[in-house]
Amino acid sequence: MADIESLLKEKRVFKPSPEFRKQANWNKKDVREFRKSGEKPERFWAKMAKENLDWFTPWKKALEWKAPNAKWFAGGKLNVSYNCVDRHANSWRKNKAAIIWEGEPGDTRVITYGELHREVQQFSNVLKSLGVKKGDRVALYMPMVPELAIAMLACTRIGAPHSIVFGGFSAESLRDRINDAGAKVVVTADGGYRRGEPFALKPMVDEACEATPTIQAIVTVKRTGEPTAMKDGRDVWWHDAMATASAKCPPAKLDAEHPLFILYTSGTTGKPKGILHTTGGYLTHVTTTAKAIFDLKDEDVYWCTADIGWITGHSYVVYGILANGATTVMYEGTPTHPGPDRFWDIIERWGVTIFYTAPTAIRTFIRLGDEHPKGHDLSSLRLLGSVGEPINPEAWIWYNKVIGNRKCPIVDTWWQTETGGIMITPLPGAVDTKPGSATLTFPGVHAAILDEDGNEVKPPDGGLLAITKPWPGMLRGIWGDKKRFKETYWSKWKGTYFPGDGAHRDKDGYFWIMGRIDDVMNISGHRIGTMEVESALVSHDDVAEAAVVGRPDEITGTAIVAFVTPRGGINADEAMKKTLLGHVTKEIGAIAKPKEIRFTDALPKTRSGKIMRRLLRDIAEGKESVGDTTTLEDYSVVAKLRADDD
Ligand code: 7RM
């Protein structure tokens, strides 16, 4: 509730400048009209689907909705790679930059729509030659290199759903995801660059594929040139396969509801959920939102800093941006290499006009000092975006002043892996912004603040964010788990989607998102389940029990604190902490490494044996507990943990 209080004090309002308004893709009048037509979502989205995409065959019905199952544009036929590449390559955009890529060491590549067209078709043929057919799954485990975008588009061209596994995940995580999706082929690289050093990826794939019965082939991009083992009959180099592949591969005419991709995301239990998205609705959603919210124009140089391994990269580095025929910047490495000004250097050199990043990055830059952005000419920028977490008003103001020179609208966009595209957001030429608020729903999207029983909560009280009507980018299921899909998202209220975030609205109807209400932690904009980290910790021989909580952190939004009970006779010392950090990195990846490990003899539990994370959260934050402790089995455990604290 403290969050609500502090946010309510934020009274500043920023109006779009007349100059911006005049040139905006959507002005106030358009937005008024779209909101009206969006009262019936299928009416608005059908108009957008027609206007913004090319279809081989028109759909019969815009929406078939029987909660929780939606079909958007069913019977309609289209192809994502055709919409993202062919239609631009066949126009004056043939020699326009589709992708501006920069590697961490400073090497660069500019790929035109014409070149992209060729390479996507070639790689489609490579996939086909490896036995990939329509409906087969392909795992992509790659650094941020153009080949990743090419592989994604090639998958969509032949109707093979991709499953991208973030390159920071461990071999074990990759294996679980490959097996859950039943992928036939993995595309990877020898490695990539981070913080000035090459890191290896292919050995992790080899380790994962020791126990992946469905994998038939591994394609490896040569990125670092480090020595890499290749297995005869299973492994092929990307460049060898491409050299002999034909550059003609007609796009498959796919039904709008054909599966497009699976993306794994953390849930409250240990096993990640394979979020499934389909073709026509998803592409309509991301293409329309990208055009309206980022105000994309042909002259723009758009840069979203997200890794493609996360949903933001799928929707707003690749699909939504290329579908609009825009130029997308892709950067391989860390924001602070070789110096703290790398991002500002990229913006200046490429003349970036639209910049979309996360609050965690913004907070890092604030800490690093204003001299770094101020040492660069950032005057090309005309619009800024934020995603992944609530942005605190101070960070918003800094972003506006220091990066935007007070002339760039900021779009604070709320959405999720599950929603596919942006849901709550300002429209930069039409909606006044307030620092810390994602403002209003996108036209055709309907949200409310509800209580547990589904009653609408009156402003300014906080409650649960709810999406009350279907939208085209909505997830169509959890891969292989219908029951979990229903239970997780559709069981709290009838026919209404439960995103799991807390929020409130102010007197103007603006949404203020307060973050996750469950046990999923948001580390630098990445969702990590407490259970996943706990399972990793207890999988170590020396650990008896572990509980993990998030504590607010200035830089990463949330920091992981692990309470660990060692097995009897084990020395709980600094060396063991180090061992455990290494173990978590191996099991899940460095992103899930606890910031702090505290050893304890016992964990606070309910009588039924459930760990009371709420109490641990308070202890991790150094707060007095005010909540209910009547279910606590043994209060002395908490007293002991608190005593250890000081
Ligand atoms: C796009 C993405 C989703 C969760 C979501 C929220 C939080 C994302 C904002 C935000 C406040 C925002 N997908 N979140 N954007 N909270 N304001 N603008 O991040 O699936 O990885 O995470 O992220 O809690 O439920 S995600």
Side-chain angles (χ1 to χ4, degrees), residues 311-312 387-390 412-418 501 513 515-516 522 525 527:
I311 190 68
T312 306
V387 61
E389 296 162 83
D412 173 3
T413 60
W414 178 88
W415 59 296
Q416 308 179 296
T417 303
E418 293 87 342
D501 277 6
I513 314 290
R516 314 277 321 151
N522 191 324
R527 279 161 56 175

PDB file of all heavy atoms in Angstrom, residues 311-312 387-390 412-418 501 513 515-516 522 525 527, ligand 1:
ATOM      1  N   ILE A 311      10.174 -11.479 -24.551  1.00  0.00           N
ATOM      2  CA  ILE A 311       9.037 -11.124 -25.414  1.00  0.00           C
ATOM      3  C   ILE A 311       9.210  -9.743 -26.054  1.00  0.00           C
ATOM      4  O   ILE A 311       8.812  -9.531 -27.195  1.00  0.00           O
ATOM      5  CB  ILE A 311       7.679 -11.214 -24.651  1.00  0.00           C
ATOM      6  CG1 ILE A 311       6.483 -11.074 -25.612  1.00  0.00           C
ATOM      7  CG2 ILE A 311       7.590 -10.164 -23.566  1.00  0.00           C
ATOM      8  CD1 ILE A 311       6.280 -12.212 -26.577  1.00  0.00           C
ATOM      9  N   THR A 312       9.819  -8.802 -25.311  1.00  0.00           N
ATOM     10  CA  THR A 312       9.982  -7.457 -25.866  1.00  0.00           C
ATOM     11  C   THR A 312      10.805  -7.511 -27.148  1.00  0.00           C
ATOM     12  O   THR A 312      10.527  -6.793 -28.111  1.00  0.00           O
ATOM     13  CB  THR A 312      10.626  -6.524 -24.824  1.00  0.00           C
ATOM     14  OG1 THR A 312       9.843  -6.587 -23.632  1.00  0.00           O
ATOM     15  CG2 THR A 312      10.680  -5.095 -25.317  1.00  0.00           C
ATOM     16  N   VAL A 387       9.741  -0.091 -20.544  1.00  0.00           N
ATOM     17  CA  VAL A 387       9.015  -1.362 -20.432  1.00  0.00           C
ATOM     18  C   VAL A 387       9.676  -2.297 -19.437  1.00  0.00           C
ATOM     19  O   VAL A 387      10.884  -2.236 -19.255  1.00  0.00           O
ATOM     20  CB  VAL A 387       8.921  -2.085 -21.801  1.00  0.00           C
ATOM     21  CG1 VAL A 387      10.301  -2.418 -22.351  1.00  0.00           C
ATOM     22  CG2 VAL A 387       8.084  -3.372 -21.711  1.00  0.00           C
ATOM     23  N   GLY A 388       8.885  -3.138 -18.820  1.00  0.00           N
ATOM     24  CA  GLY A 388       9.430  -4.229 -18.019  1.00  0.00           C
ATOM     25  C   GLY A 388       9.104  -4.143 -16.544  1.00  0.00           C
ATOM     26  O   GLY A 388       8.991  -5.161 -15.875  1.00  0.00           O
ATOM     27  N   GLU A 389       8.981  -2.929 -16.043  1.00  0.00           N
ATOM     28  CA  GLU A 389       8.711  -2.723 -14.619  1.00  0.00           C
ATOM     29  C   GLU A 389       8.053  -1.364 -14.488  1.00  0.00           C
ATOM     30  O   GLU A 389       8.142  -0.538 -15.391  1.00  0.00           O
ATOM     31  CB  GLU A 389      10.010  -2.610 -13.837  1.00  0.00           C
ATOM     32  CG  GLU A 389      10.898  -3.792 -13.806  1.00  0.00           C
ATOM     33  CD  GLU A 389      12.277  -3.332 -13.376  1.00  0.00           C
ATOM     34  OE1 GLU A 389      12.490  -3.202 -12.171  1.00  0.00           O
ATOM     35  OE2 GLU A 389      13.102  -3.061 -14.255  1.00  0.00           O
ATOM     36  N   PRO A 390       7.484  -1.115 -13.314  1.00  0.00           N
ATOM     37  CA  PRO A 390       7.029   0.258 -13.073  1.00  0.00           C
ATOM     38  C   PRO A 390       8.247   1.187 -13.112  1.00  0.00           C
ATOM     39  O   PRO A 390       9.301   0.826 -12.598  1.00  0.00           O
ATOM     40  CB  PRO A 390       6.456   0.204 -11.655  1.00  0.00           C
ATOM     41  CG  PRO A 390       6.225  -1.251 -11.355  1.00  0.00           C
ATOM     42  CD  PRO A 390       7.231  -2.009 -12.156  1.00  0.00           C
ATOM     43  N   ASP A 412       5.369   4.846 -21.507  1.00  0.00           N
ATOM     44  CA  ASP A 412       5.566   3.812 -20.487  1.00  0.00           C
ATOM     45  C   ASP A 412       4.549   2.725 -20.802  1.00  0.00           C
ATOM     46  O   ASP A 412       3.350   2.901 -20.621  1.00  0.00           O
ATOM     47  CB  ASP A 412       5.345   4.433 -19.102  1.00  0.00           C
ATOM     48  CG  ASP A 412       5.348   3.410 -17.979  1.00  0.00           C
ATOM     49  OD1 ASP A 412       5.581   2.212 -18.243  1.00  0.00           O
ATOM     50  OD2 ASP A 412       5.112   3.808 -16.819  1.00  0.00           O
ATOM     51  N   THR A 413       5.050   1.596 -21.307  1.00  0.00           N
ATOM     52  CA  THR A 413       4.171   0.580 -21.894  1.00  0.00           C
ATOM     53  C   THR A 413       4.028  -0.629 -20.988  1.00  0.00           C
ATOM     54  O   THR A 413       5.010  -1.306 -20.686  1.00  0.00           O
ATOM     55  CB  THR A 413       4.760   0.115 -23.237  1.00  0.00           C
ATOM     56  OG1 THR A 413       6.062  -0.441 -22.992  1.00  0.00           O
ATOM     57  CG2 THR A 413       4.905   1.273 -24.214  1.00  0.00           C
ATOM     58  N   TRP A 414       2.804  -0.918 -20.569  1.00  0.00           N
ATOM     59  CA  TRP A 414       2.569  -2.116 -19.753  1.00  0.00           C
ATOM     60  C   TRP A 414       2.068  -3.264 -20.621  1.00  0.00           C
ATOM     61  O   TRP A 414       1.104  -3.092 -21.386  1.00  0.00           O
ATOM     62  CB  TRP A 414       1.537  -1.863 -18.638  1.00  0.00           C
ATOM     63  CG  TRP A 414       1.290  -3.131 -17.863  1.00  0.00           C
ATOM     64  CD1 TRP A 414       1.989  -3.554 -16.785  1.00  0.00           C
ATOM     65  CD2 TRP A 414       0.336  -4.171 -18.162  1.00  0.00           C
ATOM     66  NE1 TRP A 414       1.532  -4.792 -16.379  1.00  0.00           N
ATOM     67  CE2 TRP A 414       0.527  -5.188 -17.201  1.00  0.00           C
ATOM     68  CE3 TRP A 414      -0.650  -4.334 -19.145  1.00  0.00           C
ATOM     69  CZ2 TRP A 414      -0.243  -6.359 -17.182  1.00  0.00           C
ATOM     70  CZ3 TRP A 414      -1.409  -5.507 -19.140  1.00  0.00           C
ATOM     71  CH2 TRP A 414      -1.209  -6.503 -18.161  1.00  0.00           C
ATOM     72  N   TRP A 415       2.699  -4.399 -20.481  1.00  0.00           N
ATOM     73  CA  TRP A 415       2.242  -5.615 -21.156  1.00  0.00           C
ATOM     74  C   TRP A 415       3.050  -6.795 -20.625  1.00  0.00           C
ATOM     75  O   TRP A 415       3.879  -6.619 -19.735  1.00  0.00           O
ATOM     76  CB  TRP A 415       2.344  -5.492 -22.679  1.00  0.00           C
ATOM     77  CG  TRP A 415       3.709  -5.211 -23.232  1.00  0.00           C
ATOM     78  CD1 TRP A 415       4.463  -4.085 -23.026  1.00  0.00           C
ATOM     79  CD2 TRP A 415       4.497  -6.064 -24.066  1.00  0.00           C
ATOM     80  NE1 TRP A 415       5.654  -4.195 -23.693  1.00  0.00           N
ATOM     81  CE2 TRP A 415       5.704  -5.396 -24.340  1.00  0.00           C
ATOM     82  CE3 TRP A 415       4.282  -7.322 -24.631  1.00  0.00           C
ATOM     83  CZ2 TRP A 415       6.709  -5.945 -25.140  1.00  0.00           C
ATOM     84  CZ3 TRP A 415       5.274  -7.871 -25.436  1.00  0.00           C
ATOM     85  CH2 TRP A 415       6.477  -7.179 -25.680  1.00  0.00           C
ATOM     86  N   GLN A 416       2.773  -7.981 -21.149  1.00  0.00           N
ATOM     87  CA  GLN A 416       3.398  -9.214 -20.654  1.00  0.00           C
ATOM     88  C   GLN A 416       3.707 -10.172 -21.793  1.00  0.00           C
ATOM     89  O   GLN A 416       3.170 -10.030 -22.887  1.00  0.00           O
ATOM     90  CB  GLN A 416       2.430  -9.968 -19.732  1.00  0.00           C
ATOM     91  CG  GLN A 416       1.836  -9.175 -18.617  1.00  0.00           C
ATOM     92  CD  GLN A 416       0.879 -10.023 -17.810  1.00  0.00           C
ATOM     93  OE1 GLN A 416      -0.147 -10.465 -18.320  1.00  0.00           O
ATOM     94  NE2 GLN A 416       1.207 -10.272 -16.558  1.00  0.00           N
ATOM     95  N   THR A 417       4.521 -11.174 -21.478  1.00  0.00           N
ATOM     96  CA  THR A 417       4.753 -12.262 -22.426  1.00  0.00           C
ATOM     97  C   THR A 417       3.403 -12.792 -22.915  1.00  0.00           C
ATOM     98  O   THR A 417       3.205 -13.051 -24.101  1.00  0.00           O
ATOM     99  CB  THR A 417       5.524 -13.411 -21.730  1.00  0.00           C
ATOM    100  OG1 THR A 417       6.738 -12.877 -21.197  1.00  0.00           O
ATOM    101  CG2 THR A 417       5.831 -14.540 -22.690  1.00  0.00           C
ATOM    102  N   GLU A 418       2.484 -12.927 -21.992  1.00  0.00           N
ATOM    103  CA  GLU A 418       1.179 -13.516 -22.292  1.00  0.00           C
ATOM    104  C   GLU A 418       0.308 -12.619 -23.160  1.00  0.00           C
ATOM    105  O   GLU A 418      -0.534 -13.117 -23.912  1.00  0.00           O
ATOM    106  CB  GLU A 418       0.422 -13.810 -20.988  1.00  0.00           C
ATOM    107  CG  GLU A 418       1.026 -14.897 -20.122  1.00  0.00           C
ATOM    108  CD  GLU A 418       2.101 -14.382 -19.155  1.00  0.00           C
ATOM    109  OE1 GLU A 418       2.629 -13.262 -19.388  1.00  0.00           O
ATOM    110  OE2 GLU A 418       2.408 -15.092 -18.192  1.00  0.00           O
ATOM    111  N   ASP A 501      -0.875  -8.770 -11.729  1.00  0.00           N
ATOM    112  CA  ASP A 501      -0.288  -7.510 -11.270  1.00  0.00           C
ATOM    113  C   ASP A 501      -1.266  -6.749 -10.384  1.00  0.00           C
ATOM    114  O   ASP A 501      -2.482  -6.821 -10.586  1.00  0.00           O
ATOM    115  CB  ASP A 501       0.053  -6.601 -12.467  1.00  0.00           C
ATOM    116  CG  ASP A 501       1.384  -6.958 -13.093  1.00  0.00           C
ATOM    117  OD1 ASP A 501       1.978  -7.967 -12.692  1.00  0.00           O
ATOM    118  OD2 ASP A 501       1.827  -6.218 -13.995  1.00  0.00           O
ATOM    119  N   ILE A 513       0.568   0.868 -12.310  1.00  0.00           N
ATOM    120  CA  ILE A 513       0.844  -0.552 -12.084  1.00  0.00           C
ATOM    121  C   ILE A 513       1.819  -0.671 -10.917  1.00  0.00           C
ATOM    122  O   ILE A 513       2.819   0.043 -10.871  1.00  0.00           O
ATOM    123  CB  ILE A 513       1.488  -1.197 -13.336  1.00  0.00           C
ATOM    124  CG1 ILE A 513       0.735  -0.798 -14.615  1.00  0.00           C
ATOM    125  CG2 ILE A 513       1.602  -2.706 -13.170  1.00  0.00           C
ATOM    126  CD1 ILE A 513      -0.631  -1.363 -14.794  1.00  0.00           C
ATOM    127  N   GLY A 515       3.131  -3.767  -9.757  1.00  0.00           N
ATOM    128  CA  GLY A 515       4.023  -4.931  -9.807  1.00  0.00           C
ATOM    129  C   GLY A 515       3.299  -6.237  -9.530  1.00  0.00           C
ATOM    130  O   GLY A 515       2.102  -6.269  -9.296  1.00  0.00           O
ATOM    131  N   ARG A 516       4.055  -7.321  -9.534  1.00  0.00           N
ATOM    132  CA  ARG A 516       3.507  -8.670  -9.393  1.00  0.00           C
ATOM    133  C   ARG A 516       2.963  -8.903  -7.994  1.00  0.00           C
ATOM    134  O   ARG A 516       3.578  -8.504  -7.016  1.00  0.00           O
ATOM    135  CB  ARG A 516       4.579  -9.727  -9.666  1.00  0.00           C
ATOM    136  CG  ARG A 516       5.431  -9.507 -10.870  1.00  0.00           C
ATOM    137  CD  ARG A 516       4.854  -9.966 -12.166  1.00  0.00           C
ATOM    138  NE  ARG A 516       4.129 -11.207 -12.101  1.00  0.00           N
ATOM    139  CZ  ARG A 516       3.131 -11.493 -12.919  1.00  0.00           C
ATOM    140  NH1 ARG A 516       2.744 -10.618 -13.814  1.00  0.00           N
ATOM    141  NH2 ARG A 516       2.518 -12.640 -12.847  1.00  0.00           N
ATOM    142  N   ASN A 522      10.858  -9.885 -10.479  1.00  0.00           N
ATOM    143  CA  ASN A 522      11.185  -9.202 -11.728  1.00  0.00           C
ATOM    144  C   ASN A 522      12.591  -8.608 -11.578  1.00  0.00           C
ATOM    145  O   ASN A 522      12.772  -7.554 -10.990  1.00  0.00           O
ATOM    146  CB  ASN A 522      10.145  -8.118 -11.984  1.00  0.00           C
ATOM    147  CG  ASN A 522      10.258  -7.550 -13.380  1.00  0.00           C
ATOM    148  OD1 ASN A 522      11.360  -7.406 -13.907  1.00  0.00           O
ATOM    149  ND2 ASN A 522       9.139  -7.200 -13.986  1.00  0.00           N
ATOM    150  N   GLY A 525      13.760  -6.545 -15.210  1.00  0.00           N
ATOM    151  CA  GLY A 525      12.759  -6.737 -16.250  1.00  0.00           C
ATOM    152  C   GLY A 525      12.602  -8.191 -16.668  1.00  0.00           C
ATOM    153  O   GLY A 525      11.809  -8.493 -17.541  1.00  0.00           O
ATOM    154  N   ARG A 527      11.521 -12.030 -15.647  1.00  0.00           N
ATOM    155  CA  ARG A 527      10.738 -12.711 -14.625  1.00  0.00           C
ATOM    156  C   ARG A 527      11.393 -14.016 -14.212  1.00  0.00           C
ATOM    157  O   ARG A 527      11.625 -14.875 -15.029  1.00  0.00           O
ATOM    158  CB  ARG A 527       9.329 -12.944 -15.152  1.00  0.00           C
ATOM    159  CG  ARG A 527       8.488 -11.703 -15.003  1.00  0.00           C
ATOM    160  CD  ARG A 527       7.302 -11.729 -15.891  1.00  0.00           C
ATOM    161  NE  ARG A 527       6.508 -12.908 -15.657  1.00  0.00           N
ATOM    162  CZ  ARG A 527       5.339 -13.121 -16.252  1.00  0.00           C
ATOM    163  NH1 ARG A 527       4.835 -12.290 -17.077  1.00  0.00           N
ATOM    164  NH2 ARG A 527       4.660 -14.187 -16.015  1.00  0.00           N
TER     165      ARG A 527
HETATM  166  C1  7RM B   1       6.951  -6.838 -21.510  1.00  0.00           C
HETATM  167  C2  7RM B   1       7.326  -7.641 -20.301  1.00  0.00           C
HETATM  168  C3  7RM B   1       5.539  -8.814 -17.443  1.00  0.00           C
HETATM  169  C4  7RM B   1       5.451  -8.125 -16.118  1.00  0.00           C
HETATM  170  C5  7RM B   1       4.126  -7.481 -15.898  1.00  0.00           C
HETATM  171  C6  7RM B   1       4.488  -6.374 -14.918  1.00  0.00           C
HETATM  172  C7  7RM B   1       5.847  -5.928 -15.380  1.00  0.00           C
HETATM  173  C8  7RM B   1       6.011  -4.770 -17.631  1.00  0.00           C
HETATM  174  C9  7RM B   1       5.517  -2.715 -17.108  1.00  0.00           C
HETATM  175  C10 7RM B   1       5.422  -3.508 -15.947  1.00  0.00           C
HETATM  176  C11 7RM B   1       4.795  -1.667 -14.733  1.00  0.00           C
HETATM  177  C12 7RM B   1       5.231  -1.311 -17.001  1.00  0.00           C
HETATM  178  N1  7RM B   1       6.855  -8.905 -20.266  1.00  0.00           N
HETATM  179  N2  7RM B   1       5.745  -4.778 -16.304  1.00  0.00           N
HETATM  180  N3  7RM B   1       5.878  -3.523 -18.131  1.00  0.00           N
HETATM  181  N4  7RM B   1       5.063  -2.978 -14.757  1.00  0.00           N
HETATM  182  N5  7RM B   1       4.870  -0.843 -15.784  1.00  0.00           N
HETATM  183  N6  7RM B   1       5.312  -0.488 -18.044  1.00  0.00           N
HETATM  184  O1  7RM B   1       8.012  -7.140 -19.444  1.00  0.00           O
HETATM  185  O2  7RM B   1       6.280 -11.086 -19.253  1.00  0.00           O
HETATM  186  O3  7RM B   1       8.548 -10.302 -19.026  1.00  0.00           O
HETATM  187  O4  7RM B   1       6.839  -9.286 -17.693  1.00  0.00           O
HETATM  188  O5  7RM B   1       6.395  -7.049 -16.062  1.00  0.00           O
HETATM  189  O6  7RM B   1       4.593  -6.909 -13.626  1.00  0.00           O
HETATM  190  O7  7RM B   1       3.189  -8.396 -15.403  1.00  0.00           O
HETATM  191  S1  7RM B   1       7.157  -9.965 -19.071  1.00  0.00           S
END
